[in-house]
Each structure stands twice: as structure tokens, then as C-alpha cells.
Amino acid sequence: AQSVTQLGSHVSVSEGALVLLRCNYSSSVPPYLFWYVQYPNQGLQLLLKYTSAATLVKGINGFEAEFKKSETSFHLTKPSAHMSDAAEYFCAVSRPGGNQGGKLIFGQGTELSVKP
Amino acid sequence: ETGVTQTPRHLVMGMTNKKSLKCEQHLGHNAMYWYKQSAKKPLELMFVYSLEERVENNSVPSRFSPECPNSSHLFLHLHTLQPEDSALYLCASSPGSRSIYEQYFGPGTRLTVT
């Protein structure tokens, strides 16, 4: 069975500081992993995805994530936080297709605050 | 219109009302999804449609009734809801449901049940 754990429901950083949002996964098969961002009163927007190619994945808005199989992790980073990065971030693992079809399993989300 | 759209964006309804949420995707995708997002809870997958056929129903109460007339449109019909049904309802689509694809989300409908 697939599952995702996001460590820390709330992370606060200063503008210009490193952003690190943690995600650990559990999967019985090689996983596909995703990071989504949700701004207030909006839907989820795909930031980046890992689909078994390069382990370091670059996404939009300067974010990147590294797949580490030995640590079962897929942490999201950005070298320098911007005020506009304040949002909620969701890590997700994909359940492979079958009779019921594939679906995404989401973590509980991490709210990122950016202080001026 | 591009991407995934949802109407209305906000809805307030009484427990005895009947209303419908509408979702439309302009991406040529074959699968569509309904999610419920409540405060302090993970996203809950409610229904999955693939090529207009319902392929998943996650033990959702019968007061929620989905309808998928074609691969571009998805509805969620609501009747005799409870206050605990107040939440953000998100629609998503993906190229297919039987493979591992990312999903594209609409902006959601904020539902308040009074």
C-alpha cells in the first residue's frame, strides 16, 4: 500500500532563506511522486513530479526535489524564499493503475509562511 | 477557457436544499475526479470517472450523487446535506485513470451547509 507523511504541518522561514519541506513515502512498487502547491482559495497546482528518470527534479517557481530511495524521501527545496511562496504544499504518491484505476495518495500538507 | 473550471465558486445551502456542482475540463483528458478538502484533514478522494464510467466510489454517503455525461463534464448533485459536509470540493482531471498521471485541479467550490 502507498502512503505519504509530511513532517511538520507548518514551516516558517524568512524571506531569502532556504525552504525545506519534508516528505517521506511508503510504496510497495517503484513510486511516482508529486509536489503540489495550493494558494488561498484556489485549487492545487502541480509544482513538479518524479517518474523514475532523473532523481533530482526541477519544477516551477525555482523549486526542486530529490528522490532518495534509500531514505524513502522526496523533500522539496528552494534556495531563497519569496513572499509569494507562502501557501500550502502537498506531497503525493501515485498508486498504480488496476481494476480501480490509478490515484494519488496525498499527505496532510505543510503550510509555509514567509516572514519579511 | 483553459484547464479545469468549476462553478459555482461559492455555495451556501440549507440542509433541505438540492444543488449541483459543475466541473468542466478543457484538456482533452479521459479521467475526472471529485475530492473533498476539509480543514485540517487530508484530501479525500470521493469519486473517479474514466471514460464516463465510474471506477471508484470511496464509501461516499448517498446524499452525494456524481454524474459524468461526457469526458469533459462532471457534476456533483447534492441533497439533504449535513453541516459536516461544509468543505472545499475540488474537481481534477488526468489523461487517464489506469496509468500513473498527474492530475490537474480546478479552483474548487467552497460549500457551506447551514
Side-chain angles (χ1 to χ4, degrees), chain B residues 1-7 22-26 91 105-108:
Chain B
E1 290 280 13
T2 59
V4 182
T5 58
Q6 289 186 245
T7 55
K22 178 183 177 182
C23 175
E24 184 173 1
Q25 60 94 1
H26 310 267
C91 174
F105 285 80

Side-chain angles (χ1 to χ4, degrees), chain A residues 32 34 36 38 41-44 46 49 90 94-104 106-108 111, chain B residues 9 33 35 37 40 42-43 45 55-56 58 88 90 97-108 110:
Chain A
Y32 283 17
F34 306 83
Y36 283 85
Q38 184 178 31
N41 300 314
Q42 293 188 29
L44 277 69
L46 181 67
K49 62 181 179 181
F90 294 91
S94 182
R95 186 190 80 181
N99 289 336
Q100 290 189 325
K103 69 176 187 181
L104 296 182
F106 286 90
Q108 292 200 309
E111 185 177 356
Chain B
R9 293 293 310 277
Y33 309 78
Y35 287 87
Q37 187 179 31
K40 309 300 181 188
L43 271 74
L45 179 63
V55 296
E56 186 152 345
N58 279 335
L88 182 67
L90 293 166
S97 75
R98 293 188 181 277
S99 297
I100 303 168
Y101 296 109
E102 64 267 29
Q103 294 174 13
Y104 296 83
F105 285 80
R110 174 70 62 186

Side-chain angles (χ1 to χ4, degrees), chain B residues 12-54:
Chain B
V12 179
M13 59 186 289
M15 289 189 283
T16 58
N17 291 158
K18 289 184 180 181
K19 296 285 185 183
S20 296
L21 310 184
K22 178 183 177 182
C23 175
E24 184 173 1
Q25 60 94 1
H26 310 267
L27 300 168
H29 289 167
N30 291 322
M32 297 187 78
Y33 309 78
W34 278 118
Y35 287 87
K36 176 183 179 182
Q37 187 179 31
S38 305
K40 309 300 181 188
K41 285 186 176 182
L43 271 74
E44 300 173 48
L45 179 63
M46 301 174 73
F47 301 104
V48 180
Y49 275 83
S50 176
L51 295 172
E52 304 146 42
E53 177 188 355
R54 190 188 313 178

Side-chain angles (χ1 to χ4, degrees), chain B residues 79-98:
Chain B
H79 64 98
T80 58
L81 294 190
Q82 304 298 311
E84 61 265 28
D85 297 323
S86 298
L88 182 67
Y89 288 84
L90 293 166
C91 174
S93 71
S94 70
S97 75
R98 293 188 181 277

